[in-house]
């Protein structure tokens, strides 16, 4: 085979180059053609669309098509968008005349509202909707169904409405499927939850977010389907992704009840809804932030919710102001926010406002106004308001005394699921208010509350076991119940544990543990715990003695309405211990506590009258106060009365026999000085016989 000469290779090389050049030339030509193509035409103007609708100037149809009735609807929408409703109505009428269902529906909407120069005519609107529906336009079937459902422009006809909703759903108008599902789910006479699930599922699969939310609610509650919290969460999340903000909020609420990880995940959904202007989600996010210990952020979110018109946000912000929790304490701020929310009939705010009026915090004490606010709330089915109202009626505060109605209110709250109502009803039955004490029923109510998670029920049940009231005394069971309550931050349970440690009853005597429990109880708001903590500071039990701190704690308890706190504060004022000596103020405090039923205060006030310390000396008044205290089981009242009988200060002559009797009564109440005096008096009056 002969080899190709050099000239052959040169020809091949030149041919290849020419091929490359041809390819490059073609590519450049294509680019030039592309660059030379005209830009896409602008969208048709409203007038051009009108011309297409009316078949005028067919040459302007840029897509090469012929005039269609649907172009009338397009033209009408274009004129509506620029505010020319009359021209839009003309085009809708023309489109409807030529058989375009959307035009008929749009004409019905205009007739319904009397726009576009058309007189408002409900029957003609219904006729337009029916014409569009008969032509297979599902949305118009739904509109006609709503008119039959509400009796708008026609006689109310639920069955006809139902048939139209069914047709609309079959034609693919998903709002109708959702509406049918809602009717079936909420029907009181013939609910059909399984069909509701089916309808919501169909609409949800068609990306109707609100239907996904309704379906999630059924899964969350196990209605019409098996209860499935995970599926509910998935559906809420699906709807949330479609910007259904209530779903974002409800998913956040579900996650808020879960683990710390789930709560933190819930934050993102609340944030999404809140950031998009859903004020109620800001309130929910605030609650979650508060739960996570982020109090300042919570306050900011409550403020945002309150400003956005959510009364609960105002109430929650007021609660933080009242407690000084994460923000500076301001009772004025709390009162203002509670009033604002209460004016919007947010009953929890009315209850909070009533409590401030009842206790005289941030505003003058006004039990009549408190009672009015509690009644307002109770009348609107706020069961906590009913309990507060019952407590005032039980004692005749702020109005007439009515223990029978009080019991009915407690029972109403308890039967309505408010477990605090069960506890208060149990307390009333335990004390025999309105009748004979019923310890067995009280125990059952405490057990019900305790098992349901109301820890005060556990504490009160523990007291029955500790004291052997209505049950066999069982200190171990009492300790177990107190511990359960205290661990769940029920403050009175902590106080009871502290008392057991302080007194060495059922638990080893341990002043330091007692002090720790009293501190937790007081920090948790139990005034009895504050009073016991004050006693620990006064006596140096489990801590360094601090009379100033003791006085502060007694004052806090007294200001909160705990009568024993007033008595203890008065005792320090008589001595000038931790506070400036002021026997006159002590007499006022003793009088307040005595009138409220704290019988030691009556005995203490008697002592002031006996000696004329801070008050006018009045022996008769002192005797009456001692007798009152003694008759109510206060040992020191009996002891002081015995002392006066022994000295002859009652009736002008000594009465050893009466003195001995009152010493004996005080001794049976475990008052050691009385037992010693009884023995002394017996020795002094002993007679001996001897033989002659």
């Amino acid at each position: 085979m002969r080899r190709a000469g050099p000239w052959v290779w040169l020809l091949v090389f030149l041919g290849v180059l020419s091929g490359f050049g041809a390819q490059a030339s073609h590519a450049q030509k294509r680019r030039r053609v592309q660059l030379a193509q005209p830009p896409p035409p602008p969208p048709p103007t409203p007038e051009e669309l009108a011309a297409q609708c009316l078949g005028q100037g067919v040459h302007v149809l840029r897509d090469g098509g012929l005039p269609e009735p649907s172009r009338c609807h397009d033209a009408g929408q274009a004129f509506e968008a620029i505010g020319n409703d009359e021209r839009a109505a003309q085009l809708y009428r023309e489109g409807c005349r030529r058989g375009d269902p959307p035009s008929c529906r749009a004409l019905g909407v205009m007739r319904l509202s009397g726009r576009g120069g058309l007189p408002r005519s409900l029957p003609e609107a219904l006729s337009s909707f029916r014409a569009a529906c008969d032509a297979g336009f599902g949305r118009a079937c739904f509109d006609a169904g709503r008119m039959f459902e509400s009796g708008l422009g026609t006689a109310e006809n639920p069955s006809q409405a139902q048939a139209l909703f069914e047709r609309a759903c079959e034609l693919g108008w998903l709002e109708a499927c959702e509406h049918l599902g809602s009717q079936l789910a909420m029907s009181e006479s013939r609910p059909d939850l399984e069909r509701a699930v089916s309808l919501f599922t169909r609409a949800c699969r068609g990306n109707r977010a609100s239907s996904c939310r309704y379906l999630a609610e059924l899964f969350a509650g196990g209605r019409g389907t098996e209860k499935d919290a995970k599926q509910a969460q998935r559906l809420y999340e699906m709807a949330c992704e479609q910007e259904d903000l209530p779903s974002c909020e409800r998913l956040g609420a579900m996650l808020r009840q879960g683990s710390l990880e789930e709560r933190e995940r819930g934050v993102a959904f609340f944030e999404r809804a809140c950031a998009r202007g859903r004020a109620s989600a800001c309130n929910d996010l605030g609650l979650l932030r508060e739960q996570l210990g982020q109090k300042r952020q919570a306050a900011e979110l409550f403020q945002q919710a309150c400003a956005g018109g959510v009364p609960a946000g105002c109430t929650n912000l007021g609660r933080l102001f009242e407690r000084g929790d994460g923000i500076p304490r301001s009772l004025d701020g709390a009162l203002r926010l509670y009033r604002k929310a209460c004016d919007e009939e947010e009953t929890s705010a009315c209850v909070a406002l009533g409590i401030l009026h009842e206790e005289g915090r941030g505003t003058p004490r006004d039990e009549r106004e408190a009672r009015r606010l509690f009644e307002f709330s109770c009348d609107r089915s706020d069961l906590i308001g009913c309990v507060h109202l019952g407590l005032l009626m039980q004692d005749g505060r702020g109005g007439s005394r009515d223990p029978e109605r009080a019991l009915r209110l407690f029972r109403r709250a308890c039967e309505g699921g408010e477990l605090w109502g069960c506890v208060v009803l149990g307390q009333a039955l335990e004390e025999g208010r309105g009748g004979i004490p019923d310890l067995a029923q009280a125990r059952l109510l405490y057990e019900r509350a305790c098992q349901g998670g109301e820890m005060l029920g556990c504490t009160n049940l523990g007291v029955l076991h500790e004291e052997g009231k209505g049950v066999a005394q069982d200190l171990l069971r009492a300790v177990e119940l107190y511990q359960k309550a205290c661990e769940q931050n029920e403050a009175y349970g902590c106080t009871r544990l502290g008392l057991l440690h302080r007194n060495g009853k059922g638990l080893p005597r341990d002043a330091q543990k007692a002090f720790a429990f009293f501190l937790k109880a007081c920090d948790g708001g139990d005034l009895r715990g504050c009073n016991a903590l004050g006693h620990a500071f006064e006596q140096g039990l489990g801590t360094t003695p601090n009379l100033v701190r003791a006085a502060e704690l007694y004052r806090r308890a007294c200001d909160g309405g705990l009568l024993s706190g007033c008595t203890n504060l008065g005792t320090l004022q008589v001595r000038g211990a931790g506070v400036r000596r002021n026997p006159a103020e002590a007499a006022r405090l003793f009088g307040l506590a005595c009138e409220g039923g704290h019988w030691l205060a009556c005995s203490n006030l008697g002592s002031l009258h006996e000696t004329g310390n801070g008050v006018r000396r009045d022996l008769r008044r002192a005797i009456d106060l001692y007798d009152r205290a003694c008759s109510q089981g206060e040992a020191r009242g009996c002891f002081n009365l015995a002392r006066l009988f022994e000295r002859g200060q009652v009736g002008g002559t000594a009465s050893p026999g009466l003195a001995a009797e009152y010493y004996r009564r005080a001794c049976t109440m475990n008052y050691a000085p009385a037992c010693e005096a009884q023995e002394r008096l017996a020795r002094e009056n002993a007679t001996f016989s001897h033989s002659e």
Side-chain angles (χ1 to χ4, degrees), residues 117 304 395 397 548 685:
Q304 192 173 340
D395 299 328
R397 292 184 290 134
V548 172
N685 293 324

Side-chain angles (χ1 to χ4, degrees), residues 47-58 67-69 71-72 75 87 90-91 94-95 97-98:
E47 289 295 346
E48 288 175 334
L49 288 169
Q52 294 172 13
C53 161
L54 300 172
Q56 300 166 348
V58 175
E68 295 178 2
R71 298 192 181 275
C72 298
R87 183 72 166 134
Q90 293 170 359
L91 291 160
E94 176 64 19
R97 186 186 67 77
R98 292 167 59 186

Side-chain angles (χ1 to χ4, degrees), residues 546-563:
N546 187 333
L547 292 174
V548 172
R549 184 75 177 115
E552 290 171 351
L553 288 159
Y554 290 151
R555 188 179 300 280
R556 176 177 173 183
C558 180
D559 289 346
L562 187 71
L563 298 177

Side-chain angles (χ1 to χ4, degrees), residues 563 591-599 628:
L563 298 177
L592 180 71
C594 177
E595 289 305 312
H598 194 252
W599 309 120
R628 182 178 181 184

Side-chain angles (χ1 to χ4, degrees), residues 110-415:
M110 287 202 148
R111 284 171 168 163
L112 194 65
S113 56
R115 291 189 298 116
L118 300 173
R120 186 171 187 266
S121 173
L122 300 182
E124 287 189 21
L126 179 60
S127 176
S128 296
F129 292 148
R130 293 297 299 270
C133 177
D134 291 344
F137 192 39
R139 186 175 185 181
C141 301
F142 180 70
D143 293 330
R146 293 299 295 265
M147 294 188 75
F148 277 109
E149 182 181 48
S150 59
L152 190 64
T154 183
E156 192 173 312
N157 190 334
S159 60
Q160 181 65 33
Q162 182 86 1
L164 285 162
F165 293 147
E166 294 280 2
R167 177 161 171 73
C169 181
E170 289 168 3
L171 289 169
W173 188 250
L174 298 179
E175 187 178 357
C177 304
E178 178 181 288
H179 189 74
L180 278 171
S182 298
Q183 286 183 324
L184 294 170
M186 295 186 295
S187 173
E188 294 182 0
S189 56
R190 291 188 301 172
D192 188 345
L193 293 171
E194 291 185 4
R195 176 110 198 279
V197 168
S198 174
L199 288 161
F200 289 145
T201 300
R202 177 177 177 179
C204 178
R205 286 174 178 168
N207 292 324
R208 186 166 177 82
S210 53
S211 292
C212 299
R213 180 190 348 129
Y214 295 140
L215 185 59
E217 289 169 4
L218 295 181
F219 273 105
R223 300 173 61 229
T225 183
E226 288 187 14
K227 190 171 184 177
D228 190 338
K230 292 297 183 185
Q231 177 65 359
Q233 288 181 15
R234 283 192 290 271
L235 288 162
Y236 280 137
E237 188 164 4
M238 185 188 306
C240 179
E241 290 299 324
Q242 298 176 59
E243 296 299 316
D244 185 68
L245 300 182
S247 292
C248 303
E249 186 175 358
R250 291 179 193 182
L251 178 56
M254 286 188 77
L255 294 170
R256 187 172 65 197
Q257 308 304 318
S259 65
L260 178 60
E261 182 181 348
E262 287 176 316
R263 292 200 299 271
E264 289 174 345
R265 183 167 167 252
V267 167
F269 292 101
F270 283 137
E271 283 179 337
R272 179 172 187 167
C274 178
R276 285 162 175 75
R278 188 166 176 84
S280 58
C282 300
N283 181 60
D284 287 330
L285 180 58
L287 291 170
L288 186 49
R289 292 286 189 201
E290 184 182 8
Q291 193 177 33
L292 294 169
Q294 301 162 0
K295 304 297 177 66
R296 182 166 294 279
Q297 297 95 316
E300 291 170 357
L301 288 158
F302 292 147
Q303 173 64 46
Q304 192 173 340
C306 181
V310 178
C314 305
T315 305
N316 288 327
L317 183 59
R319 176 170 48 77
L320 295 185
F321 271 121
E322 181 184 349
R323 297 176 181 174
D325 200 1
I327 55 177
R329 187 169 184 264
S330 171
L331 289 176
D332 286 342
L335 283 163
R336 176 178 53 79
L337 288 160
Y338 289 154
R339 286 195 187 103
K340 179 179 179 180
C342 183
D343 288 345
E344 296 294 326
E345 298 197 4
E346 173 72 19
T347 56
S348 61
C350 300
V351 171
L353 187 59
I355 292 170
L356 292 182
H357 279 289
E358 178 188 358
E359 297 176 355
R361 291 191 294 119
T363 185
R365 188 185 299 271
D366 188 344
E367 291 181 334
R368 188 171 296 278
E369 175 64 7
R371 187 159 168 164
R372 184 191 71 79
L373 288 162
F374 294 148
E375 187 134 28
F376 176 87
S377 302
C378 184
D379 288 346
R380 285 155 182 78
S381 301
D382 189 301
L383 298 179
I384 294 179
C386 295
V387 177
H388 279 287
L389 177 62
L391 288 169
L392 290 183
M393 288 186 163
Q394 179 176 259
D395 299 328
R397 292 184 290 134
S400 59
R401 186 173 178 272
D402 192 342
E404 288 78 17
R405 189 182 172 203
L407 285 174
R408 290 197 300 273
L409 287 166
F410 300 152
R411 189 167 281 110
R412 173 186 169 187
C414 180
E415 291 173 355

Side-chain angles (χ1 to χ4, degrees), residues 1-22:
M1 183 176 177
R2 295 179 61 190
R3 296 177 59 190
W7 60 272
V8 175
W9 293 113
L10 177 62
L11 289 173
V12 171
F13 178 69
L14 291 173
V16 170
L17 286 178
S18 66
F20 280 131

